Amino acid sequence: MRLLLGLLFFTMSLSLWALPKKTLTLDLKDVSVETFLNEVKKQTGVNFLYNAQSFQEDDKVTIKAANESLDVILKQVFDSRGLTYKEENGVIAIRKKVDLSYHSAKSIEGVVLDEQGQPIIGASILVKGTSIGAISDIDGKFSLNTTVGKTLIVSFIGFERQEIKARSGMTITMKSTAQNVGEVVVTGMSKIDKRLFTGATDKVNADALIDGLPDVSRSLEGRAAGVSVQNVSGTFGTAPKIRVRGATSIYGSSKPLWVVDGVIMEDVTNVSADDLSSGDAETLISSAIAGLNPDDIESFQILKDGSATSIYGARAMAGVIVVTTKKGKSGQNHINYTGEFTSRLIPSYRNFNILNSQDQMSIYEEMKEKGWLNLSDVLNGKDYGVYGKMYEMINTYDTTTGQFELANTEEAQTQYLQNAEMRNTNWFSKLFSTDIMQTHSVSLSGGTEKANYYVSMSAMVDPGWYKSSNVNRYTANMNATYHIFDNLSLNMISSASYRKQKAPGTLSQDVDVVNGKVKRDFDINPYSFALNSSRALDANTYYVANYASFNELHELETNYIDLNVVDTKFQAELSWKPIPELELSVLGALKYATTSQEHKILDDSNEAEAYRAMGTGTIRDNNSLLYTDPDNAYALPISILPEGGIYQRTDNRMLGYDFRATANWSHTFNKKHIVNLFGGMETNRTDRSQTWFNGWGLQYSTGETPFYVYQFFKKSIEEGNDYYSINNTNERSAAFFANATYSYKGKYTLNGTVRYEGTNKLGKSRSARWLPTWNISGAWNVHEEDFFKALQPIMSSLSLKASYSLTADRGPDNVTNSTVIMKAYNPYRVFSKDKETGEYIQYLENKNLTYEKKHELNIGVDAGFLNNRIDATFDWYRRNNYDLIGPVNTEGVGGQVVEYANMASMKSHGEELSISTKNIKTKDFGWTTDFIFSHNKNEVTKLLAQSETMDLIKGAGFTKKGYPVRSLFSIPFKGLTSQGYPTFLTETGEVTSSDINFQSLNTDYLKYEGPTDPTITGSLGNIFTYKGFRLNVYVTYSFGNKVRLDPKYSPYYNDLTSMTKDFKNRWEVPGDETKTDVPVILSYREYKANKELSYGYGAYNYSDMRVAKGDFIRMKEISLGYDFPKALLKGSHLTNMSLQLQATNLFLLYADSKLNGQDPEFFNSGGVAAPVPKQFTLTLRVGL
Amino acid sequence: MKSIKKYIGVSIVGIAFTCIVSSCDKYLDTLPDNRTELHNASDVSKLLVSAYSTSYPAYLAEMESDNTDDNIDDNWTAVDRFQRQAYEWDDITETTSDDDTPQKLWSNYYMVFSTANTALEFINTQDTTQYEPQIGEALITRAYAGFMLSTVFCNAYDATTASAQLGLPYPTKTETSPGSKYERGTLDQLYQKIAADIEKAIPLISDNYDQPKYHFTRTAAYAFAARFYLYYQKYDKAIAYATKALGSNPDNKLRDWAAWDALTENDQIRPNAYTASNVASNFLLITANTVIGAVCGPYEVGCKYTHGVAVARSETLMSNGPWGSSSSAFNYGYFYNPSLAQYCVRKLGYYFEYTDHTDNVGIVHSTFSAFNAEETLLCRAEAYALQQKYTLALNDINAILSKFSVGGISLSMAGIQNFYGSINYYTPTSPTVKKQFHTSFAIESTTEEPLLQCIMHLRRLLTLHEGLRWQDIKRYGMVIYRRQITNGVVTAVTDTLSANDPRRAIQLPQDVIAAGMQENPRITK
């Protein structure tokens, strides 16, 4: 169908075509036109394409020619019959020539557009009952000599024929014939007619993308049934957690495969799905497609079931997302500009459950009464805020004024504390801004029959939502196709992006399993700072953290990460059609990405100063960042960073090569048997390199000169630390694949795929590396049956599909031991002179190691009602994942008691429903609704070894046999004691406040809360159009998961802590335990007497008291757009112009009240993590 | 025509496919990451650097032995559940939370087998004559690992019962798939296999190492063989190997105790000197991951279960012996501080290796003098005594005392007989240095027993904190008790380990048992 469309576009430019330089000899008399054409075909091999109605039945051709050129012969025959012809790819299309002379006497003007508003060239407009007609020109415009009110018949192949009353300035929008016809499914390797496609897939067009979201993957939220997108962090560069039909692996990533223009996109570094929410600096480079300009995207095709993904077989277990970028269209030359201006709202304390400074100070006062916050402890302590500052001022003598900074009197102190009470610092307004993020994108596109091109550049300039978060991204994209010969074409795509980003300095988070705490040292993330720091603090005052002076605003200026990312791709594809039925193509691609993360800790930052903090003897003895020489019995602690700061640099480099050769043969026998064979091979190679360097003592303020002391290296050697490291990985894979499709008249289709893939990832064992995967599927297009006509038009289309498949994935990155894995190491020795280098066995051999596998049964129904005004797609699937990697307890005689092997399995099932309806459709007003619903449930059916308590109660959760893949468990809370201590049930069955073991392997006592991945996701979108206006109201929803509330409880607090309003309701006097579940603030004496009480407070954060439902309904997008009418633009050079105002992420229509402002999608893990902001975007689109 | 073309096409594709698959295999042989492979003798030597376990049973054995009491004080707590369970002779449920658990010992010593077997399997594909030192080191490390495992998880070897006692698997091939099953066999079989490897290894071993003190040199291998054959009750061989290790003049190899004793007890000065690689007495040094350096060091860590004042006063550091008071007779100064429970000799360091610098996260290490001249001399003395060669045994004791004691005390046989003959056997509430032996072989009571009591007394002192006392208790069937000490006084006796208590063989890790390995018998309560 596409081919035919392409042909007709060119019929207008009559002078451009050229026929094969062939000569032929004819001697025909009174034969039908068909016979004549057959004879020509026989001699020249050219095929003809024509509408039989173009010729009168009794029209006879007589021609005699010897060695005459085809051109001359055709002219001779067709000119006299009012026909014109055009050759393309060895096919000659014949159509009626339109008398253009009517153009001179125009009275009615109009334009013919397709549904996307693109002009249709070559549409025929005929006045009903006459032979008066016109053909739309290159801009889709036409003019006709007729009168207003006459009926016009507008037709164009591939579109529905329309009858419409004539009026001047009319715009005719042509509707593509039937949704199912002519649509293709892009698998990234080939294009398949949707009628013959038997798998489950969803297409998301670029117009669904949300403006103001520079990472396109976030826009997929709610757009496709079965695809869940969780924005665990909204920071640019961080990938959202995307699941296609839920998790497919227990320890593996379950990340879908991204394929852009046929090339698999590899991440520059592998960040596991659970680590996406860690807030670590590495997450900033976790999105493989952060370098894609949203404006360049044409569409997404999401391949969901095993049949759709089977061509990627052993990599596709978690689904495939195929991205197609824009290409130039022949005959349409355009320059388009898109400008987006986004402003993000500053979060407000109104939406959060945080105490104001008055209430907070009163709790500090209680803490003071309970023996905390006394002068000498605070001043010698690691961190202090308001109280410490007061003591410090009382102790500081100002020589110029001859007075202490704060008089040591009760009034002065009361005054000082009252000031703090009244302060109510708004940290959000100090740290966040509404500065405008701008994106400018320009694209040029166009082409001729011989060649077409699409070139674009874009710049995104983001001053940052909060301090130290600015991003600039520049992208360029070029996509050109050249038809070298009629049957040989070359497509070249190159793209490049550069990103410069700043982020608050951060270290990696780690888990303190003994006390049950997930912690991050030196965390200055503005969002978590604003939520976790007391509002009684003054934003411009320096308090103390890690024994050194600390001020958040100053720290953000002096401790940050500079990120530079370059991402490039070069690809070329050569296609050759030796015969019309066979297409051979080869594709080669090279991808190169390099990122550098420079963590700059400036000289006067808190993190650097902490290395030299030794204000008092007590501090010097307690500060673990100082160094005491073990060789000198009388050594005092000294600083190993006496001058300067720290420069830590991590570089990631990725170089990927892809090569693919494919052949596609399709033929229709007898107009009944459609056969399509597709096969090929590919090799992929990805080399990654990561280097880390710890630049010690860089003096940023003194000409960037390093200054370091030898003790730093001595300490490093003694402690077994490296100051630099290199890590290289090389991935290789090769695959062979074949797909066969047979269809009887497009009614019954049978499809099968086989892929045979090998990879080096599992190690050097030749037996483990190869895996065949397959699929078998079928479809029945019921609407092609004769009996279906009876159901029309109430039921306009119906197809049924079923597939069964085996797909696979390579399992978690660290399990690659098909042969024994030996690594080099330097065993720890106390003295540097005793050191030596060696090798050790990291993992024992597992000769049976294999891919993780999945069997999937999918049954789908596509149905259209009321002339396809209601379209519904329903899919049901059941999956069996087996050979999953999981831990297994062994007898340990190999040296590893717990090994990872293909010992686990899980199952899942789900349903997906998409309904799109055209509710109202009048000339000016339209209303369409899209409803998407997906449900997925999974359960681990086999897992041989258990995880410890801590893994199961953490926010991301973990699994046990019989539970979903990521499940959240809680320590059962058993009320407060008469002293106000929280009590819990433990694995031994006792109820205790202190004897809690977060490492227990017996986890049966834990309370199951629910999965952490939602089980129901989807969206409801309504689009209203009125003339040029377009209102889009888009709501996403997600249900079924549980969320761990932010940990707020601790055995002790300091005068920096901010608390939630729950603390107002805390246990204060005996008897309160019957009224409240909020534990007492421990006194210093109680804490010292029983330090194990801190286990109880750790447990409280992980108890069933601190869990909320993750359900939400989110007002994702409200946008109002306006397309300026063509008439208005007339006279200017503009062909189109539109404006759109959009509000994104505005509010939650529904969320659990226990969340108190905590975003259910977002993991507040500090570091570089931030939620997706509420934002307003103004978009301007202009085309020339 | 068309169909022929098709066949040609198909066969071309077929041939190409086969070629491509085989060349693909080559393409896919690229190593996926920076893992290493063995190619030559130097690679094998490097691999054998890791044939020394990073777990060492000293902490576990000290907790189980009579060197440890339950010290009652409000400020003194257990390090963790593991320490309490070890002290209480419970089956230990902690698995990997602690570096000293039976599971860590089990997996790390069995990893030595895998390492040695990987080396040996590679060597078997090469010209073995080029690899003799490597074969020697692989066999001796494997034998040592088997021996160490037996000291933890098996009863002491007793020739009369060994063929009825549970042994342990002694794998001689690498494991190729998880979940492989093994038989424990008998203790007799285990000791035979260890002996066979030792005998095969010793002629091949060389002293040519980058860090010889951290590898089995010939001397270290002889010392190991001496201890092994002593435990194996083959005293001729024990004597022969001890003599090889010590040479004709053992004095040269003894530690300069006076110089060591002159060092400060603070910081890691004494531990550093005790385990220095240039000390001739140290035959084999092993650095392991353990917190014993804190529990048996001057730190407020694990004070509840440590070597405290009561045992120090009546049985070890302050006890009386034929040499007079141990606290003044020896160059063996010890540390104590009234706020801590520990009475400790600063032999074991507490070394912190940071894995995350700024987060203060890391691994705690100690270095052990696994074999040294003094201990080897004591092995020989014990073997002589058990062969009724009392004079030779006395000579060896006096050789040790020549440097260990202040001013070079020399004992006489009569002095030893008088001292140990005159004191009562130990009871938990009236402790003495003399615990009754329960052995299957007869011990002559006038000379042999006092001499063995003296050797046990010296062994206990010299190997304090290093875990060997637990083996002596097992080998001689000494009955020991769990005592609560409050302010230096025994306030309760909570448990008794009788001579044939099955808890002398520490229970296998729970995960290993769960995977199907035969567990050690226990008396069900």
Side-chain angles (χ1 to χ4, degrees), chain A residues 1022-1048:
Chain A
N1022 278 291
I1023 297 174
F1024 304 90
T1025 49
Y1026 177 73
K1027 291 190 171 164
F1029 290 96
R1030 182 173 187 272
L1031 176 69
N1032 183 1
V1033 182
Y1034 182 62
V1035 174
T1036 60
Y1037 60 86
S1038 167
F1039 288 91
N1041 62 319
K1042 289 289 167 70
V1043 176
R1044 173 75 56 211
L1045 295 173
D1046 286 342
K1048 278 287 179 185

Side-chain angles (χ1 to χ4, degrees), chain B residues 27-104:
Chain B
Y27 170 73
L28 297 176
D29 279 342
T30 311
L31 293 178
D33 48 36
N34 54 6
R35 64 187 64 176
T36 57
E37 292 182 309
L38 300 177
H39 298 291
N40 51 44
S42 148
D43 291 343
V44 177
S45 288
K46 280 195 168 172
L47 176 61
L48 292 171
V49 166
S50 62
Y52 297 84
S53 163
T54 53
S55 285
Y56 194 77
Y59 178 31
L60 177 61
E62 284 297 303
M63 289 302 114
E64 304 258 350
S65 81
D66 59 354
N67 283 341
T68 305
D69 283 317
D70 180 357
N71 307 292
I72 307 291
D73 184 291
D74 280 352
N75 289 323
W76 297 342
T77 55
V79 179
D80 53 16
R81 190 164 302 175
F82 163 75
Q83 193 192 18
R84 177 176 61 75
Q85 290 176 338
Y87 172 78
E88 291 179 351
W89 301 319
D90 279 346
D91 292 354
I92 288 159
T93 55
E94 299 297 283
T95 52
T96 54
S97 53
D98 215 299
D99 279 321
D100 294 285
T101 58
Q103 181 163 323
K104 282 287 181 84

Side-chain angles (χ1 to χ4, degrees), chain B residues 189-455:
Chain B
Q189 289 168 337
L190 176 62
Y191 267 60
Q192 282 177 30
K193 287 174 190 163
I194 295 169
D197 273 355
I198 291 175
E199 296 303 331
K200 227 189 287 171
I202 278 179
L204 303 175
I205 288 172
S206 83
D207 291 348
N208 185 17
Y209 298 108
D210 284 350
Q211 297 294 350
K213 283 295 168 71
Y214 284 87
H215 292 263
F216 271 107
T217 55
R218 285 192 201 99
T219 309
Y222 297 146
F224 162 46
R227 191 191 296 167
F228 169 73
Y229 282 114
L230 175 70
Y231 285 17
Y232 198 11
Q233 301 180 336
K234 298 196 185 304
Y235 305 119
D236 285 337
K237 284 202 157 180
I239 293 163
Y241 280 117
T243 306
K244 279 189 166 182
L246 295 161
S248 52
N249 187 2
D251 281 5
N252 296 340
K253 297 202 168 167
L254 291 175
R255 192 179 296 271
D256 185 349
W257 288 98
W260 179 77
D261 200 35
L263 297 171
T264 173
E265 285 166 353
N266 293 326
D267 301 309
Q268 310 297 327
I269 308 297
R270 281 196 186 187
N272 290 354
Y274 188 79
T275 55
S277 50
N278 58 4
V279 171
S281 170
N282 289 329
F283 294 164
L284 180 68
L285 295 171
I286 286 178
T287 302
N289 309 345
T290 174
V291 294
I292 195 176
V295 174
C296 295
Y299 305 96
E300 195 182 334
V301 175
C303 290
K304 187 168 167 60
Y305 304 115
T306 189
H307 181 254
V309 62
V311 65
R313 202 182 283 148
S314 52
E315 297 178 65
T316 60
L317 296 168
M318 291 180 270
S319 64
N320 285 333
W323 44 76
S325 164
S326 300
S327 56
S328 53
F330 299 134
N331 292 309
Y332 207 52
Y334 49 87
F335 176 97
Y336 71 95
N337 174 326
S339 68
L340 305 179
Q342 286 94 339
Y343 276 66
C344 56
V345 179
R346 298 299 319 281
K347 289 194 284 192
L348 300 178
Y350 176 80
Y351 305 105
F352 200 75
E353 177 193 12
Y354 284 79
T355 47
D356 191 335
H357 212 76
T358 35
D359 284 356
N360 284 319
V361 179
I363 303 165
V364 182
H365 303 274
S366 289
T367 300
F368 296 91
S369 174
F371 294 100
N372 52 52
E374 286 77 8
E375 197 270 338
T376 307
L377 260 176
L378 279 172
C379 286
R380 190 168 72 177
E382 189 183 330
Y384 279 140
L386 289 163
Q387 290 196 323
Q388 289 80 40
K389 296 173 179 165
Y390 303 133
T391 319
L392 290 171
L394 183 63
N395 285 348
D396 281 350
I397 291 171
N398 282 326
I400 294 168
L401 293 181
S402 69
K403 291 210 171 168
F404 186 54
S405 64
V406 179
I409 294 172
S410 182
L411 298 180
S412 68
M413 191 61 78
I416 292 172
Q417 283 167 318
N418 282 340
F419 179 81
Y420 292 101
S422 65
I423 54 175
N424 290 328
Y425 282 115
Y426 171 97
T427 68
T429 42
S430 322
T432 68
V433 297
K434 191 167 92 172
K435 287 199 166 87
Q436 201 157 11
F437 299 149
H438 300 90
T439 53
S440 63
F441 53 88
I443 295 172
E444 187 275 325
S445 62
T446 53
T447 314
E448 190 178 11
E449 193 194 337
L451 194 55
L452 285 171
Q453 287 289 0
C454 178
I455 290 166

Side-chain angles (χ1 to χ4, degrees), chain A residues 53-268:
Chain A
Q53 290 161 359
S54 300
F55 314 119
Q56 308 291 331
E57 248 174 70
D58 52 354
D59 187 1
K60 300 288 182 208
V61 177
T62 303
I63 188 164
K64 196 170 183 177
N67 281 332
E68 197 60 77
S69 80
L70 181 61
D71 199 21
V72 170
I73 290 171
L74 293 182
K75 236 182 200 131
Q76 189 180 330
V77 175
F78 291 148
D79 270 359
S80 57
R81 289 173 169 81
L83 295 171
T84 177
Y85 55 93
K86 161 73 186 112
E87 188 274 345
E88 172 88 2
N89 292 342
V91 182
I92 290 174
I94 303 160
R95 58 186 312 286
K96 277 190 173 157
K97 198 195 276 181
V98 178
D99 191 342
L100 299 174
S101 63
Y102 284 117
H103 280 231
S104 52
K106 39 190 127 155
S107 57
I108 297 283
E109 283 178 348
V111 61
V112 187
L113 304 175
D114 65 13
E115 279 159 311
Q116 280 78 45
Q118 292 297 313
I120 294 175
I121 308 158
S124 110
I125 302 102
L126 200 70
V127 182
K128 196 174 182 181
T130 71
S131 60
I132 303 168
I135 293 279
S136 59
D137 69 6
I138 197 157
D139 296 322
K141 290 179 184 161
F142 67 90
S143 49
L144 262 179
N145 188 14
T146 185
T147 50
V148 174
K150 281 263 161 87
T151 301
L152 303 184
I153 300 168
V154 190
S155 61
F156 190 64
I157 290 171
F159 290 85
E160 271 177 24
R161 192 179 129 108
Q162 286 190 41
E163 294 195 10
I164 192 167
K165 291 269 186 268
R167 68 188 166 79
S168 204
M170 65 195 302
T171 299
I172 300 162
T173 303
M174 305 276 296
K175 227 175 75 179
S176 162
T177 46
Q179 297 287 334
N180 291 334
V181 178
E183 240 184 276
V184 291
V185 174
V186 182
T187 67
M189 292 224 199
S190 62
K191 293 190 178 86
I192 300 163
D193 187 326
K194 196 171 176 193
R195 288 173 303 171
L196 303 183
F197 193 73
T198 50
T201 181
D202 257 316
K203 191 173 179 187
V204 178
N205 283 321
D207 55 12
L209 290 176
I210 296 176
D211 295 342
L213 288 184
D215 190 332
V216 291
S217 56
R218 297 190 192 283
S219 291
L220 291 177
E221 186 173 352
R223 295 295 177 186
V227 180
S228 85
V229 178
Q230 273 181 285
N231 290 302
V232 289
S233 169
T235 310
F236 183 66
T238 307
K241 189 168 152 189
I242 300 182
R243 294 267 194 266
V244 177
R245 293 190 165 176
T248 54
S249 174
I250 297 171
Y251 283 81
S253 70
S254 296
K255 284 193 279 190
L257 192 69
W258 285 88
V259 175
V260 177
D261 290 325
V263 177
I264 293 170
M265 299 308 282
E266 305 278 0
D267 298 342
V268 66

